Amino acid sequence: MSSDVLFEIKDLEVSYGSIAAIKGISLTVNKGEIVTILGANGAGKTTTMRTISQLLKAKSGSIRFKGQELTSLAAHKIVKLGISHSPEGRRVFGILTVEENLMLGAFSQSRLDKTTLEWVYELFPRLQERRKQLAGTLSGGEQQMLAIGRSLMSNPEMLLLDEPSLGIAPILVKAIFRQIKEISNKGVTVLLVEQNAKAALKLADRGYVLDVGKIALSGTSAELLASERVQEAYLGKKH
Amino acid sequence: MDIFLQQLANGLTIGSMFALVALGYTMVYGVMKLINFAHGDMVAASAFVGLTIYTQVMGQATSLPAVIIIFLLSALAMACIGVILERIAYRPLRTAPRLSAVVSALGASLVIQNGIMLIWGPRMRIFPELVPQIYWDFGGVVISLIQVIILVLSLVLMVTLYLFVEKTRMGAAIRAASIDQDAARLMGINVNSIIALIFIIGSSLGAVGGLFIGLYYRGITFNMGWQYGLYAFIAAIIGGIGNIPGAMLGGMLLGLFNAFIAGYISSTWSDAFTFILLIVILIVRPTGILGERVAEKV
Ligand SMILES: Nc1ncnc2c1ncn2[C@@H]1O[C@H](COP(=O)(O)OP(=O)(O)OP(=O)(O)O)[C@@H](O)[C@H]1O
Ligand SMILES: [Mg+2]
């Protein structure tokens, strides 16, 4: 694994009013890696992702992508820099068709890249079959595929995935994780938020464990899988 | 039969004006979930602005190019006022509780209405005769050139708007922003620009509606925005608030409905029957005729 740092968070703090949600976290993502952020409900995973995308503003700290500071930018500028975010709960545009959703994914591009669209349809053939269907009528798993496909349409260098396994049948989770690996093989760097620690660590190179707004643990996936803390808290194993 | 055809023609004319104004309510509601109560007063202001442009700028010319310039300048003026209105009355309250924005909208409505009164006075003014009084008599059914112009121009504007929203990249961005602003931002859509664009489009269409009201009814008063605004707002609700084709359909239906009430019963009953229609539609279809095609999965 090369170690060119692509993305770096330093001493990030985020709060909702007077409530601190992120209390000084630092992490790095190298080019080409899959890095996962694990943590229980309310740990601050989504808050971190939304702050990277500037939907939330940091209270302090820095977020750098290819050396550029993001915290001073407006949210709509982020995707143009090469960071695409597939949000928690999918957030597809329900009363638009599958195809219209994908086209919106390419909104930041000056023109539509046909090969990207073909690649997305190749990754998720279901989307091509249903391209004229309203996104809101897709099943939860299909909507997740659409959310990921839509975020690929901007040809991102780094993909932020917030709980792609949320509310989806295990068999579909497997299929979606396989495609995340495929996306990574194409050279896209992935930052993956998950509660499904086992699946995430099988896929990721490295991981961070977030616990009420602080990083409790970090290491390679093998190290985390072997650690007692992760085993107890997330894999349900008792020692 | 004569009454029927006559009221059909009248209804389509009034309906086009309701529809143009209703679009402003529905587009702003679609993206901001806010009723812009000042919109009706903007429509009224446009008629006065048009009057002043006619007398002060165009030297009372009524040639076709002059009339086109009056329309364009009035629409431009109202588009600017719409953008300013959003900046000072609504943007600071974007994350505030919904009620604050409603109060601000009502305040803006009063400010504009009183502004018109201060500038142009409290008395009724007569809108200039920009279009020659030409009438055609089709065996008892009389149609004026003004009616034809209102209907044709409204249809052209509405079809253009529809194609813009449905077929272009910017149109898709407007629809995305009205469904989910944060998701739209993640696509790279500048939601602030979209909102400004919505106010520009809505206010210009409302401006054209205001000039049509002046042309058709001739008498314009500082507080007429309240009445026309209310009807257009009801039209937007009937069609499904937030839905663009809905506002067009709702406007046309309400115009026809009012014309037939006036033709067969009495125009003094218009208000009462309009509200009865509104209540019936809300009971049968609470989301309006074209509101929300599918329930979104969560
Ligand atoms: N809009 C908000 N206003 C106030 N507090 C919030 C808001 N959103 C999140 N929080 C709080 O911030 C903390 C972190 O929430 P966050 O959504 O980031 O957690 P998460 O790790 O993504 O959890 P989950 O696994 O359930 O998605 C929680 O305590 C939550 O209650
Ligand atoms: Mg979350």
Side-chain angles (χ1 to χ4, degrees):
Chain A
M1 191 59 43
S2 77
S3 59
D4 319 329
V5 175
L6 179 70
F7 175 77
E8 188 173 26
I9 294 181
K10 262 209 181 116
D11 306 320
L12 181 70
E13 292 183 45
V14 187
S15 21
Y16 295 102
S18 59
I19 305 161
I22 300 295
K23 304 163 185 165
I25 64 167
S26 299
L27 62 83
T28 57
V29 180
N30 298 322
K31 202 166 164 43
E33 273 187 318
I34 302 180
V35 173
T36 183
I37 301 178
L38 306 173
N41 289 112
K45 306 180 298 294
T46 299
T47 303
T48 304
M49 296 295 242
R50 288 172 60 81
T51 311
I52 297 172
S53 289
Q54 301 306 314
L55 292 173
L56 287 174
K57 288 294 168 188
K59 194 172 126 203
S60 67
S62 95
I63 304 174
R64 282 173 178 276
F65 178 69
K66 298 200 288 187
Q68 181 173 1
E69 181 61 48
L70 304 185
T71 49
S72 55
L73 297 176
H76 68 271
K77 298 244 164 90
I78 301 301
V79 63
K80 188 102 191 160
L81 297 178
I83 301 178
S84 202
H85 181 167
S86 171
E88 180 178 60
R90 311 178 288 257
R91 308 282 283 267
V92 296
F93 301 110
I95 55 173
L96 304 186
T97 66
V98 167
E99 200 166 54
E100 285 173 323
N101 270 272
L102 292 174
M103 294 304 153
L104 280 163
F107 185 83
S108 60
Q109 307 303 102
S110 46
R111 47 176 210 91
L112 180 70
D113 185 353
K114 276 267 159 53
T115 54
T116 309
L117 182 64
E118 278 159 24
W119 180 45
V120 167
Y121 280 150
E122 204 177 293
L123 285 169
F124 305 112
R126 200 79 70 87
L127 296 182
Q128 185 161 27
E129 286 164 29
R130 305 187 169 223
R131 64 184 194 282
K132 297 288 177 206
Q133 192 171 321
L134 296 185
T137 65
L138 297 176
S139 77
E142 290 163 349
Q143 288 191 12
Q144 188 60 61
M145 294 174 188
L146 178 56
I148 297 173
R150 182 180 67 176
S151 64
L152 288 174
M153 290 298 293
S154 62
N155 281 320
E157 278 179 71
M158 183 164 92
L159 193 57
L160 309 178
L161 297 173
D162 194 344
E163 289 203 50
S165 72
L166 190 72
I168 292 170
I171 178 127
L172 263 182
V173 171
K174 262 201 177 137
I176 287 174
F177 272 56
R178 219 178 303 124
Q179 300 313 44
I180 296 174
K181 183 76 198 164
E182 188 61 40
I183 292 164
S184 159
N185 288 343
K186 275 271 158 72
V188 180
T189 305
V190 178
L191 182 58
L192 169 71
V193 155
E194 262 302 335
Q195 282 200 50
N196 186 340
K198 204 169 162 184
L201 288 173
K202 251 166 77 182
L203 183 71
D205 301 301
R206 292 188 301 119
Y208 294 85
V209 176
L210 202 56
D211 188 26
V212 282
K214 288 204 169 108
I215 287 177
L217 206 60
S218 67
T220 64
S221 295
E223 285 165 1
L224 290 179
L225 273 169
S227 87
E228 257 175 51
R229 185 169 177 146
V230 170
Q231 294 207 343
E232 266 178 38
Y234 302 103
L235 304 176
K237 288 187 192 158
K238 290 263 182 286
H239 281 259
Chain B
M1 197 59 193
D2 279 1
I3 291 192
F4 178 82
L5 289 176
Q6 184 67 60
Q7 292 314 100
L8 184 69
N10 295 349
L12 289 173
T13 313
I14 312 169
S16 320
M17 295 189 276
F18 287 160
L20 284 180
V21 179
L23 283 166
Y25 284 107
T26 230
M27 290 181 78
V28 167
Y29 183 86
V31 176
M32 301 177 76
K33 307 297 172 252
L34 164 85
I35 309 293
N36 175 17
F37 285 110
H39 185 58
D41 302 291
M42 299 266 293
V43 169
S46 164
F48 286 91
V49 167
L51 171 70
T52 294
I53 293 173
Y54 166 76
T55 50
Q56 309 295 323
V57 183
M58 306 306 298
Q60 310 207 351
T62 53
S63 62
L64 182 62
V67 173
I68 292 174
I69 291 173
I70 291 171
F71 269 75
L72 290 178
L73 287 181
S74 304
L76 182 69
M78 297 327 290
C80 294
I81 295 177
V83 169
I84 295 169
L85 172 74
E86 191 270 321
R87 278 288 157 85
I88 61 180
Y90 301 139
R91 189 174 298 181
L93 295 170
R94 211 148 321 138
T95 53
R98 198 69 63 81
L99 193 59
S100 314
V102 171
V103 172
S104 187
L106 289 170
S109 163
L110 286 176
V111 168
I112 295 173
Q113 199 174 104
N114 285 294
I116 300 173
M117 189 181 70
L118 287 174
I119 299 172
W120 286 281
R123 291 179 32 228
M124 177 186 277
R125 303 286 294 267
I126 301 300
F127 195 80
E129 198 181 297
L130 295 178
V131 175
Q133 302 284 346
I134 297 174
Y135 294 91
W136 294 281
D137 191 332
F138 301 97
V141 180
V142 178
I143 294 172
S144 68
L145 177 61
I146 289 180
Q147 284 182 308
V148 174
I149 289 176
I150 289 176
L151 189 58
V152 171
L153 201 54
S154 302
L155 287 177
V156 168
L157 287 172
M158 286 191 269
V159 170
T160 309
L161 176 68
Y162 181 79
L163 292 176
F164 172 71
V165 170
E166 291 293 321
K167 305 287 180 210
T168 68
R169 224 168 80 92
M170 259 343 238
I174 291 175
R175 287 185 290 155
S178 61
I179 299 168
D180 185 335
Q181 293 196 4
D182 273 349
R185 288 189 179 94
L186 294 180
M187 308 294 109
I189 294 166
N190 183 346
V191 174
N192 281 342
S193 313
I194 294 291
I195 289 174
L197 179 63
I198 288 292
F199 271 85
I200 289 172
I201 297 174
S203 304
S204 329
L205 292 176
V208 173
L211 297 175
F212 283 169
I213 288 169
L215 278 178
Y216 192 65
Y217 295 107
R218 302 302 302 279
I220 53 176
T221 55
F222 75 94
N223 58 1
M224 70 176 187
W226 172 242
Q227 181 200 343
Y228 294 113
L230 182 64
Y231 270 70
F233 177 48
I234 290 174
I237 295 177
I238 288 175
I241 187 113
N243 184 300
I244 289 172
M248 303 177 188
L249 183 67
M252 286 300 184
L253 282 179
L254 192 61
L256 287 170
F257 182 77
N258 265 289
F260 287 121
I261 295 293
Y264 288 106
I265 302 171
S266 157
S267 59
T268 48
W269 285 92
S270 285
D271 283 356
F273 276 99
T274 296
F275 279 99
I276 292 172
L277 177 72
L278 176 65
I279 290 165
V280 169
I281 287 187
L282 287 183
I283 290 170
V284 181
R285 264 193 80 86
T287 55
I289 299 171
L290 297 182
E292 287 300 279
R293 277 176 289 176
V294 289
E296 251 167 281
K297 274 203 179 131
V298 274

